[in-house]
Amino acid sequence: MVRIAVDAMGGDFAPSAIVEGAIRAVRAHVCDVTLVGPEAEIRAELQRLAGADPWPEIPEIDVVDAPDRIEMAEAPIAALRKKPRASIRVATELVAHGRAAAVLSAGHTGATLVSAHAVLGVLSGVERPALAVTIPTRTGAAVLVDAGANVDCVPSHLVQFAIMGTAFARVALGVAAPKIGLLSIGEEPGKGNDLVKETHALLRGSATGYIGNIDARQLFAGTADVIVCDGFTGNIALKVGEGLVEWLAEMLQAERRADLSARLQYGLNYAAHGAAPLLGVNGLVLVGHGRSSAEAVHSGLVAAARLSTSQLTARLADALAGPRAVC
Amino acid sequence: MVRIAVDAMGGDFAPSAIVEGAIRAVRAHVCDVTLVGPEAEIRAELQRLAGADPWPEIPEIDVVDAPDRIEMAEAPIAALRKKPRASIRVATELVAHGRAAAVLSAGHTGATLVSAHAVLGVLSGVERPALAVTIPTRTGAAVLVDAGANVDCVPSHLVQFAIMGTAFARVALGVAAPKIGLLSIGEEPGKGNDLVKETHALLRGSATGYIGNIDARQLFAGTADVIVCDGFTGNIALKVGEGLVEWLAEMLQAERRADLSARLQYGLNYAAHGAAPLLGVNGLVLVGHGRSSAEAVHSGLVAAARLSTSQLTARLADALAGPRAVC
């Protein structure tokens, strides 16, 4: 059974939602879990939620003490310097030391990124790690990369996102030859900002799966398996969709359409789809949603286990070793 | 009655949808219309659609001959140089010459922007004209600016968008003291790309209506009356919303929820809300949707007439004369 290190203090409903999700995952034989956070607090939650007092020493759920946590309002680099034993950093170190196959955090995304970069380093060929989010489409699902890790990008970053996204899509979507689209404001090659235009020229010349620009209106159309953009644009796109679905769901709920509402909420809440891997660091890092429920944590663990078994990091490393391998 | 010049050849369903909308607007006493396009073709459409053969010479609907049209695939600057008598350019000239109060086009947005810039010039204080789109929100409506005119911006452009958007929101939303938000990926001042961070510093120091960053998830929340962003981001946000609503509407239609479907479609189809004014040129220019139906053209004309009566351009000029006037 793979073991996943979980930042027990990350997320709006931490640690209880995190611990509850971990218990569920372990009981469902999804994976083993190492919960990282203030040990006494975590053990108390384990006892409370599992109804076991005292909490038995079982190998499936381990606790590693990390007294500090990064708050959402903190600047990540300064906060991590000040709190070397923050839960996210300690959890990431478990991966670096081979004591866990992946780390899952629903906490401060910036702190997760910085920890991953500092503790794990980046794969060869990567200038910037990127967040890949799996979004629902009319025909199934697609991968959006970067979903928010890099707010300012240059074209070479996006080319790397395409390479990494392709490798990830093979694993996450089970697509043998993923189609790569570049998110823009029109399908014509001339449409887009300078970043898009320059990236288009690079991708056209190098990536065989590249199908050109994807109009943002087609984001959910299933036209591409991998949708490439800078992290600012990707995050805007996701959040606009999420906010809209929340609103529509409320409208539908008001009309007693709870079923459809749940379906729509599920559709765009990427936590419900598991969690988003950080591509490009030398180890598996998944980012869940800040408002992760126990269910979301559970599905994040499902994703973490699956990606670990799928050898995602090795596939990424292979992909980055040569464009011919994936493009 | 104000007279609106209409690019009869602009839009996917031109000229018939354009002509039909014009007839409806005139019959409803919304405005007088000058249809601009190949005269014989336009007159034939008028006869066909109004059931009048021959079409009577009535002052309410005038036709001005313009033999050429800009196709969607053409590069706007080159196309307009090659076709000086393109319908969009001739229609814009009617405004420059005082023969129409506004020009409405559902055609090539880039060509409309270039025509407007070249024929009308820009207002003092404006570096880049911007498209303002009125979007629905939980509490009513808000103005998004820039919605796609400027794909690459510097902070001073966004400050100008805020100033112009505020003036527009007063007219379009009837809000006396519009709240200005800067579209970003989080509400905290440190969140966003370089453009957002630098613009935040400028707006914080100069615009009294400025309430800070708006998280993209709150785009439809009604938090701000004016939402400022670069045109690439704004266009992505709108198109993601539009594509999502189209998809959801199909899902709902499949469940025979035609009413709600229509409501959702209406919600994000900005053509249905009228048309989007181009802020910052010295005259009123409105951009409708490429897929404008007759209904959309009709409502575009309603908007054009209202904005003309509201003296939007003069208000913009006033607003730009000094930040104290609007901020």
Side-chain angles (χ1 to χ4, degrees):
Chain A
M1 195 71 73
V2 297
R3 176 170 293 276
I4 313 295
V6 177
D7 173 8
M9 306 314 286
D12 299 352
F13 309 122
S16 62
I18 312 295
V19 173
E20 189 185 335
I23 292 169
R24 288 181 50 185
V26 165
R27 286 186 175 155
H29 304 289
V30 167
C31 59
D32 293 343
V33 170
T34 299
L35 291 166
V36 182
E39 187 163 357
E41 187 177 351
I42 304 302
R43 292 199 180 274
E45 281 296 315
L46 280 167
Q47 284 172 12
R48 187 175 71 81
L49 292 163
D53 188 11
W55 174 257
E57 290 296 333
I58 60 166
E60 290 82 3
I61 295 192
D62 195 10
V63 179
V64 165
D65 187 50
D68 296 325
R69 69 188 286 179
I70 309 295
E71 305 294 338
M72 291 308 285
E74 290 185 277
I77 294 175
L80 284 161
R81 196 166 292 152
K82 206 170 62 184
K83 302 174 178 172
R85 294 188 66 204
S87 55
I88 178 58
R89 186 178 176 109
V90 173
T92 308
E93 283 168 351
L94 295 178
V95 178
H97 299 155
R99 292 176 54 197
V103 53
L104 171 67
S105 175
H108 192 308
T109 301
T112 306
L113 301 176
V114 171
S115 281
H117 203 295
V119 174
L120 299 170
V122 299
L123 296 172
S124 173
V126 172
E127 291 169 281
R128 301 280 192 93
L131 267 180
V133 163
T134 303
I135 61 170
T137 69
R138 285 167 191 248
T139 57
V143 170
L144 180 78
V145 55
D146 175 25
N150 307 285
V151 291
D152 290 290
C153 292
V154 299
S156 64
H157 299 157
L158 270 66
V159 171
Q160 292 160 22
F161 301 165
I163 295 170
M164 296 195 288
T166 298
F168 175 58
R170 287 209 176 91
V171 171
L173 311 180
V175 178
K179 288 176 286 188
I180 306 165
L182 182 61
L183 186 62
S184 190
I185 58 175
E187 289 175 13
E188 304 85 348
K191 286 283 176 76
N193 55 14
D194 288 344
L195 175 64
V196 165
K197 289 178 200 161
E198 289 167 33
T199 303
H200 173 78
L202 291 177
L203 285 173
R204 193 178 42 190
S206 68
T208 58
Y210 182 59
I211 60 170
N213 288 357
I214 295 287
D215 187 286
R217 193 182 286 116
Q218 305 298 314
L219 182 60
F220 304 100
T223 318
D225 303 300
V226 178
I227 297 158
V228 174
C229 57
D230 69 89
F232 183 80
T233 301
N235 202 260
I236 292 276
L238 287 176
K239 285 183 161 173
V240 166
E242 197 176 346
L244 184 59
V245 164
E246 280 172 9
W247 180 27
L248 299 182
E250 277 174 35
M251 284 164 53
L252 293 169
Q253 249 162 357
E255 308 194 19
R256 298 169 179 280
R257 301 280 301 161
D259 267 5
L260 184 56
S261 163
R263 190 170 147 204
L264 297 184
Q265 285 277 17
Y266 184 86
L268 265 184
N269 182 339
Y270 71 86
H273 283 279
L278 178 65
L279 306 184
V281 291
N282 192 13
L284 202 50
V285 177
L286 290 103
V287 176
H289 202 287
R291 293 181 288 169
S292 284
S293 60
E295 190 194 0
V297 173
H298 176 267
S299 60
L301 290 168
V302 172
R306 194 164 41 79
L307 292 178
S308 169
T309 307
S310 307
Q311 305 281 328
L312 173 63
T313 305
R315 285 172 187 248
L316 290 171
D318 285 349
L320 291 157
R324 65 206 161 282
V326 291
C327 291
Chain B
M1 196 71 75
V2 297
R3 176 170 293 277
I4 314 295
V6 177
D7 174 8
M9 306 314 286
D12 298 352
F13 308 123
S16 61
I18 313 296
V19 172
E20 189 184 335
I23 292 169
R24 287 181 50 183
V26 165
R27 284 184 176 157
H29 305 290
V30 167
C31 59
D32 293 343
V33 170
T34 299
L35 291 166
V36 182
E39 186 162 358
E41 187 176 352
I42 304 302
R43 290 196 182 277
E45 282 296 316
L46 280 167
Q47 283 171 12
R48 187 176 71 81
L49 292 163
D53 189 10
W55 173 257
E57 290 297 330
I58 59 165
E60 289 82 1
I61 294 192
D62 195 10
V63 179
V64 165
D65 187 50
D68 295 326
R69 69 187 287 177
I70 308 295
E71 305 295 339
M72 291 309 285
E74 291 185 275
I77 294 176
L80 284 162
R81 195 166 293 152
K82 206 171 62 184
K83 300 173 179 174
R85 294 187 67 204
S87 54
I88 179 57
R89 184 174 178 113
V90 173
T92 308
E93 283 169 350
L94 294 178
V95 178
H97 299 154
R99 290 175 57 195
V103 54
L104 171 68
S105 175
H108 192 309
T109 301
T112 306
L113 300 176
V114 171
S115 281
H117 203 294
V119 173
L120 298 171
V122 298
L123 297 172
S124 173
V126 173
E127 291 169 280
R128 300 281 191 93
L131 267 181
V133 163
T134 303
I135 62 170
T137 69
R138 285 166 192 249
T139 57
V143 170
L144 179 78
V145 55
D146 173 26
N150 307 284
V151 291
D152 289 292
C153 292
V154 298
S156 64
H157 300 157
L158 270 66
V159 171
Q160 292 160 23
F161 301 165
I163 295 170
M164 296 195 289
T166 299
F168 175 58
R170 288 209 176 91
V171 171
L173 311 180
V175 178
K179 287 176 287 188
I180 306 165
L182 182 61
L183 186 63
S184 190
I185 57 176
E187 289 175 12
E188 304 84 349
K191 285 284 177 74
N193 55 14
D194 288 344
L195 176 63
V196 165
K197 288 178 200 162
E198 290 168 31
T199 303
H200 174 77
L202 291 177
L203 285 174
R204 194 177 43 189
S206 69
T208 57
Y210 182 58
I211 60 171
N213 288 357
I214 296 287
D215 187 286
R217 193 182 287 118
Q218 304 298 313
L219 182 61
F220 303 100
T223 318
D225 303 300
V226 178
I227 296 158
V228 174
C229 57
D230 70 89
F232 183 81
T233 302
N235 203 260
I236 292 275
L238 287 175
K239 285 183 163 172
V240 166
E242 199 175 345
L244 185 58
V245 164
E246 280 172 9
W247 180 28
L248 299 183
E250 277 174 35
M251 284 164 54
L252 293 169
Q253 251 163 356
E255 307 194 19
R256 298 172 182 276
R257 301 280 300 162
D259 267 4
L260 184 58
S261 162
R263 190 170 148 204
L264 296 184
Q265 284 278 16
Y266 184 86
L268 265 185
N269 181 337
Y270 71 86
H273 284 278
L278 179 66
L279 307 185
V281 292
N282 192 12
L284 202 51
V285 176
L286 290 104
V287 176
H289 202 287
R291 293 182 286 170
S292 284
S293 60
E295 190 195 1
V297 173
H298 176 267
S299 60
L301 290 168
V302 172
R306 194 164 42 80
L307 292 178
S308 169
T309 307
S310 307
Q311 304 281 330
L312 173 63
T313 305
R315 286 171 186 248
L316 289 170
D318 285 348
L320 291 156
R324 65 207 162 281
V326 290
C327 290

